[in-house]
Protein backbone atom coordinates (compact mmCIF):
# COMPACT_ATOMS: atom_id res chain seq x y z
CA UNK A 1 0.00 0.00 0.00
CA UNK A 2 2.83 2.40 0.88
CA UNK A 3 4.60 1.67 -2.42
CA UNK A 4 1.41 2.35 -4.37
CA UNK A 5 0.89 5.62 -2.49
CA UNK A 6 4.45 6.75 -3.21
CA UNK A 7 4.09 5.84 -6.87
CA UNK A 8 0.87 7.86 -7.08
CA UNK A 9 2.61 10.85 -5.50
CA UNK A 10 5.44 10.58 -8.03
CA UNK A 11 2.97 10.51 -10.92
CA UNK A 12 0.90 13.44 -9.67
CA UNK A 13 3.08 16.28 -11.06
CA UNK A 14 3.33 14.56 -14.44
CA UNK A 15 -0.42 14.03 -14.60
CA UNK A 16 -1.12 17.63 -13.65
CA UNK A 17 1.17 18.91 -16.41
CA UNK A 18 -0.32 16.60 -19.03
CA UNK A 19 -3.87 17.41 -18.00
CA UNK A 20 -3.09 21.12 -18.05
CA UNK A 21 -1.67 20.88 -21.56
CA UNK A 22 -4.68 18.87 -22.77
CA UNK A 23 -7.10 21.38 -21.25
CA UNK A 24 -5.19 24.27 -22.83
CA UNK A 25 -5.45 22.63 -26.26
CA UNK A 26 -9.18 22.08 -25.83
CA UNK A 27 -9.69 25.68 -24.72
CA UNK A 28 -7.77 26.88 -27.77
CA UNK A 29 -10.14 25.13 -30.21
CA UNK A 30 -12.88 27.82 -30.32
CA UNK A 31 -10.21 30.54 -30.34
CA UNK A 32 -8.50 29.02 -33.37
CA UNK A 33 -11.87 28.78 -35.08
CA UNK A 34 -12.24 32.57 -34.97
CA UNK A 35 -9.00 33.19 -36.91
CA UNK A 36 -9.23 34.42 -40.53
CA UNK A 37 -9.95 31.75 -43.10
CA UNK A 38 -6.59 32.23 -44.79
CA UNK A 39 -4.71 31.61 -41.53
CA UNK A 40 -2.80 28.29 -41.42
CA UNK A 41 -3.75 27.90 -37.74
CA UNK A 42 -7.49 28.24 -38.23
CA UNK A 43 -9.70 25.30 -37.25
CA UNK A 44 -12.73 24.69 -39.44
CA UNK A 45 -16.31 24.60 -38.17
CA UNK A 46 -16.30 20.87 -38.89
CA UNK A 47 -13.33 20.37 -36.56
CA UNK A 48 -15.07 22.30 -33.78
CA UNK A 49 -18.16 20.09 -34.06
CA UNK A 50 -16.04 16.93 -34.29
CA UNK A 51 -14.00 17.70 -31.18
CA UNK A 52 -17.21 18.77 -29.43
CA UNK A 53 -18.62 15.31 -30.12
CA UNK A 54 -15.48 13.79 -28.61
CA UNK A 55 -16.06 15.85 -25.47
CA UNK A 56 -19.55 14.36 -25.15
CA UNK A 57 -18.17 10.87 -25.73
CA UNK A 58 -15.59 11.50 -23.00
CA UNK A 59 -18.39 12.44 -20.60
CA UNK A 60 -20.15 9.17 -21.43
CA UNK A 61 -16.90 7.28 -20.87
CA UNK A 62 -16.48 8.92 -17.47
CA UNK A 63 -19.98 7.85 -16.44
CA UNK A 64 -19.18 4.26 -17.41
CA UNK A 65 -15.82 4.31 -15.65
CA UNK A 66 -17.48 5.53 -12.46
CA UNK A 67 -19.81 2.55 -12.29
CA UNK A 68 -17.54 -0.08 -13.88
CA UNK A 69 -14.00 0.94 -13.04
CA UNK A 70 -14.72 1.87 -9.41
CA UNK A 71 -17.76 -0.23 -8.49
CA UNK A 72 -17.23 -3.24 -10.75
CA UNK A 73 -20.69 -3.01 -12.34
CA UNK A 74 -20.29 -3.58 -16.08
CA UNK A 75 -23.21 -1.88 -17.83
CA UNK A 76 -23.72 -2.57 -21.53
CA UNK A 77 -26.71 -0.24 -21.68
CA UNK A 78 -25.33 3.23 -20.94
CA UNK A 79 -25.95 4.19 -24.55
CA UNK A 80 -29.66 4.12 -23.66
CA UNK A 81 -29.21 6.81 -20.99
CA UNK A 82 -27.11 8.84 -23.43
CA UNK A 83 -29.89 8.58 -26.03
CA UNK A 84 -32.65 9.48 -23.55
CA UNK A 85 -30.84 12.66 -22.62
CA UNK A 86 -30.46 13.38 -26.32
CA UNK A 87 -34.16 12.84 -26.98
CA UNK A 88 -35.09 15.19 -24.14
CA UNK A 89 -32.97 17.92 -25.71
CA UNK A 90 -34.27 17.03 -29.18
CA UNK A 91 -37.86 17.45 -28.02
CA UNK A 92 -37.08 20.96 -26.82
CA UNK A 93 -35.38 21.79 -30.12
CA UNK A 94 -38.37 20.46 -32.06
CA UNK A 95 -40.83 22.53 -30.01
CA UNK A 96 -38.62 25.58 -30.62
CA UNK A 97 -39.16 25.32 -34.40
CA UNK A 98 -42.77 26.49 -34.18
CA UNK A 99 -44.19 27.86 -37.44
CA UNK A 100 -40.81 27.63 -39.19
CA UNK A 101 -41.40 23.96 -39.97
CA UNK A 102 -42.48 22.55 -43.33
CA UNK A 103 -46.14 22.40 -42.31
CA UNK A 104 -45.98 25.62 -40.22
CA UNK A 105 -47.92 24.16 -37.32
CA UNK A 106 -47.32 26.27 -34.19
CA UNK A 107 -47.58 23.28 -31.82
CA UNK A 108 -47.15 19.95 -33.59
CA UNK A 109 -43.72 18.99 -34.98
CA UNK A 110 -43.61 18.24 -38.71
CA UNK A 111 -43.49 14.47 -38.33
CA UNK A 112 -46.66 14.49 -36.23
CA UNK A 113 -48.49 16.54 -38.86
CA UNK A 114 -47.26 14.14 -41.53
CA UNK A 115 -48.49 11.14 -39.53
CA UNK A 116 -51.91 12.78 -39.00
CA UNK A 117 -51.58 13.39 -35.26
CA UNK A 118 -54.37 15.68 -34.07
CA UNK A 119 -52.90 16.83 -30.78
CA UNK A 120 -49.61 16.89 -28.94
CA UNK A 121 -49.01 13.83 -26.68
CA UNK A 122 -49.05 14.59 -22.96
CA UNK A 123 -45.38 13.64 -22.52
CA UNK A 124 -44.40 16.45 -24.91
CA UNK A 125 -45.91 19.09 -22.62
CA UNK A 126 -43.39 21.42 -21.05
CA UNK A 127 -40.66 20.84 -23.61
CA UNK A 128 -41.24 24.28 -25.08
CA UNK A 129 -39.31 25.56 -22.04
CA UNK A 130 -35.56 25.03 -21.86
CA UNK A 131 -35.52 24.75 -18.06
CA UNK A 132 -38.05 21.91 -18.13
CA UNK A 133 -36.10 20.11 -20.87
CA UNK A 134 -32.84 20.53 -18.92
CA UNK A 135 -34.46 18.92 -15.87
CA UNK A 136 -35.80 16.03 -17.96
CA UNK A 137 -32.31 15.46 -19.38
CA UNK A 138 -31.23 14.14 -15.98
CA UNK A 139 -34.57 13.04 -14.50
CA UNK A 140 -35.62 10.62 -17.25
CA UNK A 141 -32.34 8.64 -17.42
CA UNK A 142 -32.06 8.84 -13.63
CA UNK A 143 -35.55 7.45 -12.99
CA UNK A 144 -35.02 4.62 -15.48
CA UNK A 145 -31.68 3.72 -13.90
CA UNK A 146 -33.19 3.95 -10.41
CA UNK A 147 -36.07 1.61 -11.23
CA UNK A 148 -33.96 -0.80 -13.25
CA UNK A 149 -31.10 -0.80 -10.75
CA UNK A 150 -33.40 -1.31 -7.77
CA UNK A 151 -34.89 -4.43 -9.35
CA UNK A 152 -31.50 -5.78 -10.44
CA UNK A 153 -29.37 -5.00 -7.38
CA UNK A 154 -32.10 -5.98 -4.94
CA UNK A 155 -32.18 -9.37 -6.64
CA UNK A 156 -28.35 -9.49 -6.40
CA UNK A 157 -27.91 -9.82 -10.14
CA UNK A 158 -24.22 -9.32 -10.82
CA UNK A 159 -21.50 -10.03 -13.33
CA UNK A 160 -22.30 -11.10 -16.85
CA UNK A 161 -25.99 -11.51 -16.02
CA UNK A 162 -26.31 -7.82 -15.19
CA UNK A 163 -24.43 -6.91 -18.37
CA UNK A 164 -26.82 -8.99 -20.45
CA UNK A 165 -29.99 -7.48 -19.02
CA UNK A 166 -28.65 -3.95 -19.47
CA UNK A 167 -28.05 -4.79 -23.10
CA UNK A 168 -31.58 -6.18 -23.32
CA UNK A 169 -32.86 -2.90 -21.87
CA UNK A 170 -31.25 -0.76 -24.53
CA UNK A 171 -32.41 -3.14 -27.28
CA UNK A 172 -35.99 -2.96 -25.99
CA UNK A 173 -35.82 0.84 -26.08
CA UNK A 174 -34.41 0.67 -29.59
CA UNK A 175 -37.43 -1.33 -30.77
CA UNK A 176 -39.86 0.93 -28.93
CA UNK A 177 -38.49 4.18 -30.34
CA UNK A 178 -38.55 2.77 -33.86
CA UNK A 179 -42.35 2.69 -33.70
CA UNK A 180 -44.11 5.70 -35.22
CA UNK A 181 -46.92 5.53 -32.69
CA UNK A 182 -44.47 6.23 -29.84
CA UNK A 183 -44.45 9.88 -30.87
CA UNK A 184 -40.69 10.31 -31.23
CA UNK A 185 -40.30 10.41 -34.99
CA UNK A 186 -39.92 6.68 -35.57
CA UNK A 187 -36.98 5.61 -37.72
CA UNK A 188 -36.14 9.18 -38.75
CA UNK A 189 -36.05 10.47 -35.19
CA UNK A 190 -35.91 14.19 -34.45
CA UNK A 191 -34.04 16.53 -36.78
CA UNK A 192 -34.17 19.79 -38.75
CA UNK A 193 -33.48 21.83 -35.62
CA UNK A 194 -33.38 25.61 -36.05
CA UNK A 195 -32.01 27.25 -32.93
CA UNK A 196 -31.08 26.81 -29.29
CA UNK A 197 -32.24 29.45 -26.79
CA UNK A 198 -32.89 31.73 -29.75
CA UNK A 199 -29.40 31.32 -31.26
CA UNK A 200 -29.31 29.78 -34.79
CA UNK A 201 -27.55 26.42 -34.75
CA UNK A 202 -25.95 26.91 -38.16
CA UNK A 203 -23.71 29.80 -37.12
CA UNK A 204 -20.10 29.54 -35.99
CA UNK A 205 -20.77 31.49 -32.80
CA UNK A 206 -23.46 29.03 -31.68
CA UNK A 207 -21.24 26.06 -32.49
CA UNK A 208 -18.46 27.56 -30.42
CA UNK A 209 -20.91 28.23 -27.59
CA UNK A 210 -22.10 24.61 -27.55
CA UNK A 211 -18.47 23.47 -27.70
CA UNK A 212 -17.63 25.57 -24.63
CA UNK A 213 -20.70 24.16 -22.85
CA UNK A 214 -19.50 20.64 -23.68
CA UNK A 215 -16.01 21.39 -22.39
CA UNK A 216 -17.45 22.81 -19.16
CA UNK A 217 -19.66 19.72 -18.91
CA UNK A 218 -16.64 17.41 -19.30
CA UNK A 219 -14.61 19.27 -16.68
CA UNK A 220 -17.59 19.32 -14.32
CA UNK A 221 -18.23 15.62 -14.84
CA UNK A 222 -14.59 14.82 -14.17
CA UNK A 223 -14.55 16.88 -10.97
CA UNK A 224 -17.77 15.26 -9.70
CA UNK A 225 -16.44 11.77 -10.40
CA UNK A 226 -13.07 12.62 -8.87
CA UNK A 227 -14.72 14.00 -5.74
CA UNK A 228 -16.72 10.79 -5.36
CA UNK A 229 -13.84 8.41 -6.02
CA UNK A 230 -11.51 10.24 -3.60
CA UNK A 231 -14.05 10.25 -0.77
CA UNK A 232 -15.07 7.58 1.73
CA UNK A 233 -17.89 6.71 -0.65
CA UNK A 234 -15.32 5.99 -3.35
CA UNK A 235 -13.36 3.70 -1.05
CA UNK A 236 -16.52 1.75 -0.29
CA UNK A 237 -17.26 1.46 -4.01
CA UNK A 238 -13.78 0.06 -4.64
CA UNK A 239 -14.26 -2.38 -1.78
CA UNK A 240 -17.53 -3.53 -3.37
CA UNK A 241 -15.72 -4.00 -6.67
CA UNK A 242 -12.96 -6.09 -5.08
CA UNK A 243 -14.85 -8.04 -2.41
CA UNK A 244 -18.60 -7.47 -2.46
CA UNK A 245 -19.45 -10.29 -0.06
CA UNK A 246 -17.03 -8.97 2.58
CA UNK A 247 -18.47 -5.46 2.35
CA UNK A 248 -21.95 -6.88 2.78
CA UNK A 249 -20.75 -8.91 5.76
CA UNK A 250 -19.38 -5.72 7.37
CA UNK A 251 -22.88 -4.28 7.42
CA UNK A 252 -22.80 -1.92 4.43
CA UNK A 253 -25.87 -1.73 2.19
CA UNK A 254 -24.26 -2.82 -1.07
CA UNK A 255 -27.56 -2.39 -2.89
CA UNK A 256 -27.82 1.26 -1.86
CA UNK A 257 -24.25 2.06 -2.91
CA UNK A 258 -24.64 0.36 -6.27
CA UNK A 259 -27.99 2.00 -6.88
CA UNK A 260 -26.61 5.45 -6.10
CA UNK A 261 -23.59 5.22 -8.39
CA UNK A 262 -25.59 3.56 -11.19
CA UNK A 263 -28.25 6.27 -11.08
CA UNK A 264 -25.70 9.07 -10.94
CA UNK A 265 -23.76 7.64 -13.88
CA UNK A 266 -26.98 7.43 -15.91
CA UNK A 267 -27.72 11.09 -15.21
CA UNK A 268 -24.22 12.07 -16.31
CA UNK A 269 -24.69 10.05 -19.51
CA UNK A 270 -27.97 11.90 -20.11
CA UNK A 271 -26.20 15.26 -19.87
CA UNK A 272 -23.63 14.05 -22.39
CA UNK A 273 -26.41 13.07 -24.79
CA UNK A 274 -28.12 16.44 -24.40
CA UNK A 275 -24.92 18.29 -25.34
CA UNK A 276 -24.32 15.91 -28.23
CA UNK A 277 -27.62 16.42 -30.08
CA UNK A 278 -27.37 20.16 -30.91
CA UNK A 279 -23.92 19.55 -32.39
CA UNK A 280 -24.84 16.66 -34.69
CA UNK A 281 -28.31 18.02 -35.51
CA UNK A 282 -30.22 14.75 -35.17
CA UNK A 283 -31.27 12.07 -32.67
CA UNK A 284 -32.80 8.80 -33.82
CA UNK A 285 -33.30 5.26 -32.46
CA UNK A 286 -29.91 4.11 -33.76
CA UNK A 287 -28.38 5.78 -30.69
CA UNK A 288 -30.03 3.01 -28.63
CA UNK A 289 -28.12 0.35 -30.57
CA UNK A 290 -26.44 -2.13 -28.19
CA UNK A 291 -23.30 -1.81 -30.32
CA UNK A 292 -22.98 1.82 -29.23
CA UNK A 293 -22.98 0.85 -25.56
CA UNK A 294 -20.41 -1.88 -26.17
CA UNK A 295 -18.21 0.55 -28.09
CA UNK A 296 -18.37 3.02 -25.19
CA UNK A 297 -17.18 0.28 -22.83
CA UNK A 298 -14.27 -0.35 -25.21
CA UNK A 299 -13.28 3.33 -24.92
CA UNK A 300 -12.92 2.90 -21.17
CA UNK A 301 -11.05 -0.40 -21.50
CA UNK A 302 -8.62 1.02 -24.05
CA UNK A 303 -7.92 4.14 -22.00
CA UNK A 304 -7.71 2.27 -18.71
CA UNK A 305 -10.59 1.71 -16.34
CA UNK A 306 -10.34 2.67 -12.72
CA UNK A 307 -8.60 5.95 -13.61
CA UNK A 308 -10.87 8.75 -14.73
CA UNK A 309 -8.36 10.36 -17.05
CA UNK A 310 -7.95 6.96 -18.70
CA UNK A 311 -11.60 6.98 -19.76
CA UNK A 312 -11.15 10.43 -21.33
CA UNK A 313 -8.00 9.32 -23.15
CA UNK A 314 -9.75 6.21 -24.43
CA UNK A 315 -12.75 8.14 -25.73
CA UNK A 316 -10.56 10.56 -27.68
CA UNK A 317 -8.14 7.89 -28.92
CA UNK A 318 -10.71 5.38 -30.16
CA UNK A 319 -13.03 7.95 -31.72
CA UNK A 320 -10.09 9.70 -33.35
CA UNK A 321 -9.04 6.39 -34.88
CA UNK A 322 -12.63 5.73 -35.91
CA UNK A 323 -12.89 9.09 -37.69
CA UNK A 324 -9.67 8.47 -39.59
CA UNK A 325 -10.37 4.84 -40.49
CA UNK A 326 -14.01 5.32 -41.50
CA UNK A 327 -12.82 8.05 -43.86
CA UNK A 328 -9.88 6.10 -45.31
CA UNK A 329 -10.91 2.44 -45.13
CA UNK A 330 -14.44 2.26 -43.70
CA UNK A 331 -14.80 -1.48 -44.25
CA UNK A 332 -11.95 -2.22 -41.80
CA UNK A 333 -13.21 -0.26 -38.79
CA UNK A 334 -15.23 -3.02 -37.12
CA UNK A 335 -12.34 -5.47 -37.49
CA UNK A 336 -9.94 -2.93 -35.99
CA UNK A 337 -12.33 -2.25 -33.10
CA UNK A 338 -12.71 -5.94 -32.31
CA UNK A 339 -8.98 -6.55 -32.60
CA UNK A 340 -8.27 -3.56 -30.39
CA UNK A 341 -10.53 -4.89 -27.64
CA UNK A 342 -8.91 -8.34 -27.81
CA UNK A 343 -5.42 -6.84 -27.72
CA UNK A 344 -6.25 -4.68 -24.72
CA UNK A 345 -7.84 -7.61 -22.88
CA UNK A 346 -4.85 -9.92 -23.46
CA UNK A 347 -1.87 -7.59 -23.30
CA UNK A 348 -2.94 -4.27 -21.79
CA UNK A 349 -5.39 -4.95 -18.98
CA UNK A 350 -4.72 -1.43 -17.63
CA UNK A 351 -5.16 0.20 -21.03
CA UNK A 352 -3.10 3.01 -22.49
CA UNK A 353 -2.36 4.57 -19.10
CA UNK A 354 -0.80 1.28 -18.04
CA UNK A 355 1.24 1.21 -21.26
CA UNK A 356 2.88 4.53 -20.42
CA UNK A 357 3.08 3.78 -16.71
CA UNK A 358 0.50 6.35 -15.54
CA UNK A 359 -2.12 3.91 -14.29
CA UNK A 360 -2.71 3.30 -10.62
CA UNK A 361 -0.43 0.46 -9.63
CA UNK A 362 0.43 -0.28 -13.27
CA UNK A 363 4.00 -1.23 -14.18
CA UNK A 364 5.96 1.51 -15.84
CA UNK A 365 6.67 1.30 -19.55
CA UNK A 366 5.42 -1.67 -21.55
CA UNK A 367 5.24 -4.05 -18.63
CA UNK A 368 7.35 -6.64 -20.45
CA UNK A 369 8.15 -8.32 -17.16
CA UNK A 370 4.64 -9.76 -17.29
CA UNK A 371 5.02 -11.09 -20.82
CA UNK A 372 8.52 -12.59 -20.68
CA UNK A 373 9.12 -15.90 -18.88
CA UNK A 374 11.25 -15.90 -15.77
CA UNK A 375 14.77 -17.18 -16.49
CA UNK A 376 15.77 -18.04 -12.95
CA UNK A 377 14.25 -20.60 -10.63
CA UNK A 378 14.09 -19.58 -6.98
CA UNK A 379 16.17 -21.76 -4.71
CA UNK A 380 14.40 -23.77 -2.04
CA UNK A 381 16.26 -23.70 1.27
CA UNK A 382 17.37 -27.10 2.56
CA UNK A 383 15.74 -28.24 5.79
CA UNK A 384 17.94 -28.11 8.84
CA UNK A 385 18.36 -30.91 11.28
CA UNK A 386 15.68 -30.98 13.88
CA UNK A 387 13.08 -29.21 11.68
CA UNK A 388 11.30 -32.41 10.78
Amino acid sequence: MAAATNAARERAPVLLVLMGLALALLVAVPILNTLPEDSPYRLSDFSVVLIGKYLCYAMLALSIDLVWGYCGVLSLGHGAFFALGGYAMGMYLMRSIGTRGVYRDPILPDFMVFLNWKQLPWYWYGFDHFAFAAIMVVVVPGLLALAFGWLAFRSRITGVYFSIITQALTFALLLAFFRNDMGFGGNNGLTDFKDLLGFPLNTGATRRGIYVASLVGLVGTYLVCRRITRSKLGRVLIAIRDAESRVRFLGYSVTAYKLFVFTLSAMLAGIAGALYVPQVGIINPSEFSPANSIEAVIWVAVGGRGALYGAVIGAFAVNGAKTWLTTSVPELWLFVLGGLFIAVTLFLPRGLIGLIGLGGGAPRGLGLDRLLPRLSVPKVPKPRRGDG
Side-chain angles (χ1 to χ4, degrees):
M1 178 66 77
T5 303
N6 292 333
R9 290 176 179 174
E10 292 176 1
R11 288 192 300 266
V14 178
L15 288 175
L16 288 176
V17 171
L18 293 177
M19 292 173 67
L21 289 174
L23 184 60
L25 290 174
L26 292 175
V27 170
V29 168
I31 300 175
L32 295 176
N33 179 245
T34 60
L35 296 177
E37 293 188 2
D38 57 349
S39 174
Y41 302 105
R42 184 182 186 274
L43 279 180
S44 64
D45 292 342
F46 173 79
S47 298
V48 174
V49 172
L50 183 64
I51 301 173
K53 287 168 52 180
Y54 293 170
L55 294 175
C56 298
Y57 292 151
M59 290 179 62
L60 175 60
L62 281 173
S63 70
I64 295 174
D65 194 29
L66 180 64
V67 72
W68 180 36
Y70 287 91
C71 194
V73 178
L74 176 56
S75 169
L76 296 181
H78 259 55
F81 306 128
F82 181 85
L84 288 173
Y87 264 96
M89 179 57 67
M91 292 166 72
Y92 163 74
L93 295 174
M94 290 297 292
R95 292 297 308 274
S96 299
I97 295 175
T99 56
R100 292 171 293 173
V102 175
Y103 297 100
R104 301 187 180 280
D105 191 293
I107 298 178
L108 296 180
D110 282 341
F111 73 88
M112 290 187 183
V113 178
F114 178 78
L115 294 174
N116 243 357
W117 288 62
K118 302 303 180 183
Q119 60 182 4
L120 194 70
W122 63 268
Y123 43 85
W124 276 76
Y125 293 157
F127 280 95
D128 51 337
H129 302 288
F130 178 79
F132 179 83
I135 294 173
M136 291 299 105
V137 161
V138 294
V139 168
V140 173
L143 286 178
L144 177 61
L146 183 65
F148 181 85
W150 185 80
L151 293 172
F153 299 138
R154 184 170 175 269
S155 302
R156 298 192 182 182
I157 299 175
T158 59
V160 66
Y161 303 104
F162 181 82
S163 302
I164 291 174
I165 62 173
T166 54
Q167 195 169 39
L169 170 67
T170 187
F171 189 70
L173 290 171
L174 168 69
L175 296 178
F177 275 72
F178 258 118
R179 296 169 58 91
N180 286 327
D181 55 4
M182 282 288 291
F184 295 107
N187 183 35
N188 295 323
L190 309 178
T191 187
D192 195 29
F193 308 134
K194 304 297 183 183
D195 54 47
L196 174 62
L197 293 173
F199 297 98
L201 289 173
N202 58 356
T203 64
T206 304
R207 294 191 187 100
R208 289 190 293 271
I210 299 174
Y211 174 92
V212 172
S214 301
L215 180 57
V216 172
L218 175 59
V219 174
T221 301
Y222 179 84
L223 293 177
V224 169
C225 293
R226 179 181 171 84
R227 179 65 181 271
I228 291 174
T229 56
R230 293 299 181 93
S231 65
K232 180 181 177 182
L233 169 61
R235 292 193 290 271
V236 175
L237 294 177
I238 294 175
I240 292 174
R241 178 195 67 187
D242 296 337
E244 180 177 334
S245 59
R246 293 186 180 184
V247 176
R248 197 184 302 274
F249 178 76
L250 290 173
Y252 287 92
S253 176
V254 172
T255 299
Y257 280 96
K258 282 186 172 182
L259 190 58
F260 168 78
V261 74
F262 186 67
T263 302
L264 177 62
S265 67
M267 296 167 71
L268 295 175
I271 296 173
L275 291 169
Y276 172 82
V277 168
Q279 300 185 78
V280 299
I282 187 173
I283 178 71
N284 59 38
S286 65
E287 295 295 338
F288 286 102
S289 172
N292 289 356
S293 297
I294 296 174
E295 188 174 327
V297 169
I298 294 177
W299 305 341
V300 179
V302 170
R305 72 185 182 102
L308 298 174
Y309 50 87
V312 176
I313 293 173
F316 273 86
V318 176
N319 283 287
K322 180 179 181 179
T323 300
W324 177 67
L325 284 173
T326 52
T327 303
S328 306
V329 278
E331 64 277 3
L332 293 181
W333 166 242
L334 290 179
F335 296 100
V336 172
L337 184 65
L340 183 64
F341 185 63
I342 293 173
V344 168
T345 303
L346 294 178
F347 304 112
L348 295 173
R350 298 184 185 275
L352 293 176
I353 60 172
L355 178 68
I356 59 179
L358 291 179
R364 296 187 179 276
L366 296 175
L368 295 178
D369 57 317
R370 292 189 172 188
L371 301 179
L372 298 177
R374 296 185 180 275
L375 300 180
S376 60
V377 179
K379 296 181 180 180
V380 179
K382 296 181 180 180
R384 296 176 298 179
R385 291 182 181 179
D387 290 346

